[in-house]
Amino acid sequence: MNKGKVDVLLGLQWGDEGKGKVVDVLTPGYDVIARFQGGPNAGHTLEFEGQKYVLRSIPSGIFQGGKVNIIGNGVVLAPDLFMYEAKDLEKSGHELKQRLHISKKAHLIMPTHRLLDAALEQAKGKSKVGTTGKGIGPTYTDKISRNGLRVGDIFEQFEEKYNAHKARHEKMLKDLGYTDYDITEVEKKWMEGIEYIKQFNIVDSEHEINKLLKSGKSILCEGAQGTMLDVDFGSYPFVTSSNTICAGACTGLGIGPNKIGEVYGIMKAYCTRVGAGPFPTELFDNTGDTIRQIGHEYGAVTGRERRCGWIDLVALRYSIMVNGVTKLIMMKSDVLDGFDTIKACVAYMQNGKRIEDFPFNIEDNIQPIYVEMPGWKTDMTKFTDESQFPQEFKDYVRFLEEQLETPICIISIGPDREQTIIRK
């Protein structure tokens, strides 16, 4: 934690690294938690006191009382889905309205954006990206093409603006041959969500954050998805529609790069991916199935099976580089507790040549080069201190730190917030 600085926490793989749990664990050390990009395609799962929560748009610091939580301008917000999420939290006893602030400059996901998402995916045929269908891509497309509808617009001639955007989308849908739909009920709930949002603090978040920094407050920025899904640096075109890297915190919240303090990079002890796209270390055998079953690797929002594989150090080195990661956090270490051997990809073989730098294209002719290590047949889920770790696991951690040239400061050994080892 750095007073007057912004620490950033983000995923280093293809998403689903466990960011929500770690934000919740770190929140007591911060005054403010701010989400800087992505939409309700994120699913941040938190477990504590026998309860399980899945957050989609609301920052994961909301469970720690008294903290300000900000949805930044880089986020795209679906009013109806936000309303369902917030009401569920309120029912479970978590007060939101005074502590959750929403940027006026965050863009709104319209019902027709979801239709466009489905229509565009359908038009791609075999080249489908594998989106969540939440309308994220079309919303960011409108933002970049200067056709977006923002949270701040709900207070000024909103109906006129909404209808103009809707008419434009309907023409696009007609051009795509996608006409068999009825959004009457969805639109009704969406408008209900718009009224619900008005109860929250709608703010100029860039001013608010910089004033908080100037007053000495500490801020933790929470990323969504993962670095390898970044629209610029990920496995394009099988990526999300926003900048998931550390620089995205600057543009997604309105803070200068000189305000960035620690950059926490989160990774699993292995690797997963949801949806289409290249995945060099993917396992198609019983080992991959076992990792999926033990790790409960299914999407928190979609329920989709996650593809599973060994840890990819080529991709991780790249992620650490483009993010400027200062500290690593390793999640789901316990999932590998029962394996005889553990593998880590240290390089790729591409067209007969060994490469250690992440290449422009990982779709074709990539074979991972593995280092194999002895596993640890020890149940680590009840451990409370790193001194209890078996030697084989300590060796694995040391190997990763040497390969990645970055210290691993936190190790997670289970889904509960208590199953977290902070290394000394």
Side-chain angles (χ1 to χ4, degrees), residues 99-212:
R99 297 189 295 121
L100 182 59
H101 301 186
I102 303 170
S103 174
K104 290 179 184 175
K105 292 185 171 69
H107 281 244
L108 292 168
I109 303 171
M110 295 174 56
T112 42
H113 280 132
R114 290 175 209 157
L115 295 176
L116 282 167
D117 205 347
L120 290 165
E121 271 287 88
Q122 182 176 289
K124 285 175 180 159
K126 291 181 180 178
S127 300
K128 285 182 173 68
V129 173
T131 77
T132 58
K134 296 286 192 295
I136 312 296
T139 307
Y140 277 114
T141 299
D142 273 356
K143 175 179 178 174
I144 297 303
S145 65
R146 303 182 294 277
N147 285 301
L149 190 64
R150 302 184 292 176
V151 170
D153 290 323
I154 67 179
F155 302 107
E156 299 175 12
Q157 298 175 300
F158 178 65
E159 191 173 338
E160 182 183 329
K161 292 175 182 176
Y162 175 82
N163 287 331
H165 285 290
K166 179 183 173 184
R168 186 172 57 83
H169 290 164
E170 287 177 330
K171 184 179 183 306
M172 293 166 69
L173 288 163
K174 187 177 180 182
D175 291 344
L176 286 163
Y178 198 90
T179 55
D180 186 19
Y181 61 83
D182 181 359
I183 59 168
T184 308
E185 285 304 311
V186 173
E187 196 173 44
K188 184 179 173 185
K189 285 294 181 185
W190 194 89
M191 288 297 182
E192 193 181 318
I194 289 291
E195 291 306 309
Y196 181 76
I197 282 175
K198 291 178 181 177
Q199 302 173 56
F200 289 82
N201 294 295
I202 310 297
V203 300
D204 292 301
S205 56
E206 66 275 29
H207 290 299
E208 180 178 35
I209 283 175
N210 281 286
K211 284 174 183 175
L212 287 163

Side-chain angles (χ1 to χ4, degrees), residues 101-344:
H101 301 186
I102 303 170
S103 174
K104 290 179 184 175
K105 292 185 171 69
H107 281 244
L108 292 168
I109 303 171
M110 295 174 56
T112 42
H113 280 132
R114 290 175 209 157
L115 295 176
L116 282 167
D117 205 347
L120 290 165
E121 271 287 88
Q122 182 176 289
K124 285 175 180 159
K126 291 181 180 178
S127 300
K128 285 182 173 68
V129 173
T131 77
T132 58
K134 296 286 192 295
I136 312 296
T139 307
Y140 277 114
T141 299
D142 273 356
K143 175 179 178 174
I144 297 303
S145 65
R146 303 182 294 277
N147 285 301
L149 190 64
R150 302 184 292 176
V151 170
D153 290 323
I154 67 179
F155 302 107
E156 299 175 12
Q157 298 175 300
F158 178 65
E159 191 173 338
E160 182 183 329
K161 292 175 182 176
Y162 175 82
N163 287 331
H165 285 290
K166 179 183 173 184
R168 186 172 57 83
H169 290 164
E170 287 177 330
K171 184 179 183 306
M172 293 166 69
L173 288 163
K174 187 177 180 182
D175 291 344
L176 286 163
Y178 198 90
T179 55
D180 186 19
Y181 61 83
D182 181 359
I183 59 168
T184 308
E185 285 304 311
V186 173
E187 196 173 44
K188 184 179 173 185
K189 285 294 181 185
W190 194 89
M191 288 297 182
E192 193 181 318
I194 289 291
E195 291 306 309
Y196 181 76
I197 282 175
K198 291 178 181 177
Q199 302 173 56
F200 289 82
N201 294 295
I202 310 297
V203 300
D204 292 301
S205 56
E206 66 275 29
H207 290 299
E208 180 178 35
I209 283 175
N210 281 286
K211 284 174 183 175
L212 287 163
L213 280 172
K214 199 169 182 181
S215 69
K217 299 294 185 184
S218 56
I219 298 175
L220 179 64
C221 299
E222 175 184 19
Q225 291 84 45
T227 296
M228 300 314 299
L229 294 175
D230 183 272
V231 69
D232 282 294
F233 298 102
S235 52
Y236 193 88
F238 301 97
V239 292
T240 193
S241 302
S242 59
N243 284 115
T244 61
I245 62 170
C246 185
C250 295
T251 57
L253 291 168
I255 51 174
N258 63 328
K259 298 294 193 294
I260 301 292
E262 299 285 2
V263 181
Y264 294 100
I266 304 186
M267 61 186 190
K268 287 177 179 170
Y270 49 97
C271 196
T272 64
R273 177 163 199 168
V274 172
F279 182 6
T281 63
E282 183 171 8
L283 294 167
F284 300 95
D285 56 10
N286 288 336
T287 301
D289 292 339
T290 302
I291 290 173
R292 183 180 303 109
Q293 289 160 15
I294 297 173
H296 306 291
E297 293 295 357
Y298 302 92
V301 171
T302 63
R304 288 187 294 180
E305 271 192 4
R306 293 181 187 140
R307 300 152 63 191
C308 297
W310 295 118
I311 199 165
D312 185 338
L313 302 184
V314 180
L316 279 171
R317 283 194 293 265
Y318 180 72
S319 294
I320 289 166
M321 176 185 74
V322 297
N323 284 301
V325 172
T326 58
K327 292 181 178 178
L328 291 170
I329 298 169
M330 187 160 75
M331 309 299 289
K332 291 199 163 184
S333 307
D334 55 297
V335 173
L336 300 183
D337 281 354
F339 289 88
D340 293 319
T341 56
I342 303 295
K343 292 183 181 181

